[in-house]
């Protein structure tokens, strides 16, 4: 098991399951690609390997983005929000980020609908 730097670990506010929300964003266009979860080991691997690694809540295991799909996320920068409960991954996305095969998980119809004036 990998060990996260204690200084970094102390800054994180985790869920009761030990997870922190992670938002992946394309580094140059700022397009929001996806949201996933990280535990300490996933964050450590992300920081040390340069590849986005997440925790699958459904499979209860680590997964590196692209291991099965080939759609990888090369890490450009990693930032922690002011509350310590969300990690922002600035990545260089290769291929689709969404499990549905689309570039981003956020390309669905907007929830805001214009009202008739």
């Amino acid at each position: 098991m990998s060990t996260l730097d204690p200084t970094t670990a102390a800054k994180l506010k985790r869920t009761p399951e030990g997870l922190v929300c992670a938002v992946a964003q394309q580094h140059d266009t700022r397009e929001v690609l996806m949201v996933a979860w990280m535990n300490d080991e996933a964050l450590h691997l992300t920081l040390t390997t340069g590849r986005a690694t997440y925790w699958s809540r459904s499979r209860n295991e680590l997964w590196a983005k692209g291991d099965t799909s080939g759609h990888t996320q090369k890490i450009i920068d990693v930032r922690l929000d002011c509350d310590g409960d969300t990690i922002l991954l600035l990545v260089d996305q290769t291929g689709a980020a969404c499990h549905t095969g689309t570039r981003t998980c956020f390309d669905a119809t907007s929830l805001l609908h214009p009202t008739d004036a």
Side-chain angles (χ1 to χ4, degrees):
M1 181 170 174
S2 304
T3 304
L4 184 61
D5 173 68
T7 304
T8 301
K11 294 177 183 178
L12 299 176
K13 290 184 184 170
R14 299 165 191 81
T15 68
E17 297 79 23
L19 303 175
V20 177
C21 181
V23 177
Q25 183 178 44
Q26 178 64 33
H27 74 99
D28 51 357
T29 65
R30 302 299 189 198
E31 177 182 30
V32 177
L33 300 169
M34 58 178 273
V35 174
W37 294 93
M38 291 181 147
N39 62 11
D40 286 10
E41 186 174 6
L43 179 55
H44 173 77
L45 288 169
T46 297
L47 294 171
T48 58
T49 66
R51 283 192 59 209
T53 303
Y54 302 104
W55 179 257
S56 171
R57 295 179 299 165
S58 61
R59 295 187 314 268
N60 205 34
E61 66 184 14
L62 290 169
W63 59 280
K65 184 70 173 164
D67 275 355
T68 56
S69 68
H71 301 162
T72 60
Q73 292 176 343
K74 178 184 173 190
I75 299 298
I76 305 300
D77 196 7
V78 179
R79 301 177 186 180
L80 186 62
D81 80 334
C82 61
D83 295 323
D85 61 3
T86 305
I87 298 166
L88 176 64
L89 304 174
L90 297 174
V91 303
D92 188 13
Q93 177 72 42
T94 299
C98 187
H99 71 280
T100 64
T102 58
R103 169 88 179 148
T104 172
C105 294
F106 295 97
D107 62 356
T109 304
S110 174
L111 297 178
L112 290 176
H113 301 288
T115 58
D116 295 334

